[in-house]
Amino acid sequence: MMGTLSCFCIFFPHDKSWNTPLLKMKILNPFPNFNSLKSLNPIPIFNSLKSHSSTTSPQQNQFTISYLITNFGFSLETATKASKRVHFTTSEKPDSVIAIFRNYDFSDFQISNLVRQAPNILTCDPHKRVLPKFQFLLSKGASNSDVVEIVVRSPRILYSSLDNCIIPTFELMRRFLPSNEKVIERILQCKFFFGHYTFVNNLKLLLDYGVTDSNIRYLLLKRPSILLCVDMRGALDMVKEMGFNDPSNVNFCIALLAKRAISESRWDAKVIVFKKWGWSDEMVLEAFRKRPMCMLSSIEKINKVMRFWVNELGWNSLALVKRPDIFAYSLENRIIPRACVVSYLISKGLMEKNVELSTPFAVNEKVFLEKYVQCFEEERNDLLKLYQEKMDGKKIKENGEVPVSY
């Protein structure tokens, strides 16, 4: 237990100044020591702070209770409960803490919520425990409002050691992201980076598993909360069992993202939708293996694409098993305009209907225009006009149906 406690400022030691030479050496380290970070688990410490009860006299409790009610609008019950976790006989320390928060533009409501969650903060030395953390974040590009949001979303940062937790975690994220600003963005998007061991352990696990830095960067930019999941090992093994055998491939990480971001019930609901349009369970898995992004499409989007493809165009839904990436494309700006061009070509006998109809939707804009518009000399102008009309003006109806005109 003592080994864990030494990683955090629970006894309020004097944090090193964030700009000392020793700390600069730490910041220059491109990849902090995982073994030292791995053991960080503030949860028991945070809980022990909550349950801590000092022996206090009725007079001390009375002062604390009165202060909490007067300054934060606590009810008598809430103030009494909080006074079992913190006590003070003068207003000097709590006033200095409140002054620091107000100086950084925390609102009274935000300060009240922080004290409600972590009343012990009122008895700390804010110049040693709070200010250095704010100054570190500001030095990395965070604004005052960013600092406020980070602290309000995760008060646990106030209990975490600057040197042993906050800085190493920040620098670890910086290894995978292109700038400090991007790190701040990710922290704002997901509130549990600081003060939790899961993030660090999961990163180490991903690297040991063979996931590349670029793919970890993809996960951080796409959905950072994935890196805080409880059973990362189980998720990695499950993705591998589904046929994704190369952790260095981006599809491995997209599959991991899909399996962790979508609940089991939501996943099953999407499988049912695909089966409604004629796919089998094996086809859904085949499509997922080809383009795992398809399972990140909403049920509404899947239905709209299928409805247009099958009901309006009269094409076979099974063709999309081989091109499931089509579910990630814009219906209005890509699928409908290109479908109208392809339908026109088929109606004029310029394209066989039995060819792989999904191919024109997968190529980039330049290739599509070259192969399906410009190469037809006599029809080129009509095709281009049709394509541009669909790109510019036509909007999908509420039920997802769009009449196909030539």
Side-chain angles (χ1 to χ4, degrees):
M1 180 64 180
M2 289 303 294
T4 305
L5 286 174
S6 64
C7 294
F8 295 87
C9 298
I10 299 308
F11 300 111
F12 312 140
H14 190 293
D15 284 342
K16 295 182 181 70
S17 172
W18 58 272
N19 60 353
T20 59
L22 177 60
L23 197 52
K24 286 183 178 178
M25 291 175 64
K26 287 186 179 182
I27 293 176
L28 289 173
N29 181 0
F31 191 44
N33 189 322
F34 265 129
N35 293 327
S36 63
L37 286 169
K38 179 179 177 180
S39 62
L40 298 181
N41 185 356
I43 295 176
I45 301 168
F46 190 73
N47 290 337
S48 69
L49 281 168
K50 290 183 176 180
S51 61
H52 175 70
S53 176
S54 300
T55 303
T56 60
S57 68
Q59 291 80 9
Q60 288 174 320
N61 262 343
Q62 186 177 5
F63 182 86
T64 303
I65 291 169
S66 176
Y67 186 93
L68 294 173
I69 292 173
T70 302
N71 288 273
F72 307 114
F74 285 7
S75 67
L76 178 60
E77 181 183 0
T78 301
T80 302
K81 185 177 180 181
S83 72
K84 295 177 182 179
R85 296 158 58 187
V86 64
H87 70 274
F88 39 86
T89 55
T90 71
S91 63
E92 182 180 356
K93 274 194 174 181
D95 283 350
S96 66
V97 172
I98 294 171
I100 292 294
F101 283 124
R102 284 181 175 155
N103 190 47
Y104 277 84
D105 299 326
F106 285 78
S107 69
D108 289 345
F109 178 76
Q110 290 168 332
I111 296 172
S112 177
N113 276 343
L114 285 174
V115 174
R116 192 183 304 272
Q117 296 178 69
N120 306 72
I121 197 69
L122 292 175
T123 57
C124 80
D125 182 344
H127 296 278
K128 295 178 180 179
R129 185 173 165 199
V130 177
L131 265 180
K133 295 167 185 176
F134 291 2
Q135 290 167 348
F136 172 74
L137 292 172
L138 291 170
S139 76
K140 295 301 181 181
S143 65
N144 269 21
S145 61
D146 291 336
V147 171
V148 172
E149 186 172 350
I150 290 170
V151 174
V152 167
R153 285 166 62 89
S154 185
R156 204 175 291 261
I157 190 175
L158 299 173
Y159 291 121
S160 302
S161 167
L162 176 64
D163 289 344
N164 297 323
C165 179
I166 295 172
I167 290 174
T169 301
F170 189 99
E171 294 303 319
L172 178 56
M173 291 179 68
R174 181 65 178 84
R175 164 179 170 170
F176 303 104
L177 296 173
S179 66
N180 289 335
E181 289 72 21
K182 286 294 181 183
V183 177
I184 295 295
E185 284 180 12
R186 298 305 93 191
I187 293 169
L188 287 168
Q189 187 175 351
C190 186
K191 66 181 181 180
F192 294 123
F193 281 120
F194 294 129
H196 287 257
Y197 71 100
T198 311
F199 171 69
V200 173
N201 284 352
N202 280 345
L203 277 180
K204 183 179 186 303
L205 182 58
L206 288 171
L207 290 169
D208 290 346
Y209 212 85
V211 179
T212 62
D213 282 20
S214 61
N215 284 341
I216 292 175
R217 181 183 305 115
Y218 173 86
L219 291 175
L220 277 169
L221 292 173
K222 194 73 177 178
R223 197 182 183 103
S225 59
I226 294 299
L227 295 171
L228 294 164
C229 70
V230 176
D231 186 17
M232 179 64 80
R233 168 70 69 181
L236 290 168
D237 291 342
M238 176 172 54
V239 167
K240 196 168 185 178
E241 288 173 6
M242 295 182 77
F244 297 89
N245 298 313
D246 183 5
S248 66
N249 190 295
V250 68
N251 273 348
F252 182 95
C253 278
I254 298 174
L256 177 65
L257 174 65
K259 289 303 293 181
R260 297 307 303 179
I262 304 172
S263 67
E264 186 175 350
S265 60
R266 194 69 175 167
W267 180 279
D268 291 342
K270 291 183 181 183
V271 171
I272 290 172
V273 169
F274 279 120
K275 291 173 73 172
K276 182 186 79 172
W277 291 102
W279 290 19
S280 64
D281 288 310
E282 293 74 19
M283 289 174 179
V284 174
L285 182 57
E286 180 186 344
F288 181 64
R289 285 173 179 160
K290 287 180 179 294
R291 289 292 184 271
M293 189 70 76
C294 68
M295 290 303 285
L296 290 169
S297 298
S298 67
I299 289 176
E300 181 186 18
K301 177 67 177 295
I302 295 169
N303 272 323
K304 281 186 175 182
V305 171
M306 285 294 200
R307 191 180 296 117
F308 178 72
W309 189 272
V310 176
N311 294 348
E312 293 300 312
L313 298 173
W315 296 347
N316 194 331
S317 69
L318 302 187
L320 300 182
V321 174
K322 295 183 178 180
R323 294 283 185 180
D325 43 349
I326 196 170
F327 295 101
Y329 300 150
S330 167
L331 197 61
E332 294 86 348
N333 297 324
R334 185 162 184 153
I335 299 174
I336 292 174
R338 294 192 182 191
C340 291
V341 170
V342 172
S343 294
Y344 180 96
L345 293 175
I346 292 173
S347 70
K348 297 293 184 180
L350 300 172
M351 182 175 173
E352 294 291 333
K353 189 174 182 179
N354 59 359
V355 300
E356 195 170 313
L357 291 175
S358 57
T359 302
F361 301 88
V363 298
N364 62 40
E365 185 79 0
K366 181 181 178 182
V367 173
F368 176 78
L369 290 174
E370 287 175 353
K371 291 189 66 174
Y372 300 98
V373 176
Q374 295 169 351
C375 64
F376 299 99
E377 261 186 55
E378 294 183 8
E379 294 82 6
R380 181 190 305 166
N381 291 336
D382 290 339
L383 285 169
L384 190 58
K385 182 180 178 182
L386 171 64
Y387 184 64
Q388 289 175 337
E389 283 177 354
K390 295 298 179 182
M391 287 288 288
D392 293 339
K394 295 293 183 182
K395 297 295 181 182
I396 191 165
K397 294 180 181 179
E398 287 298 321
N399 63 1
E401 298 176 359
V402 177
V404 179
S405 58
Y406 303 111

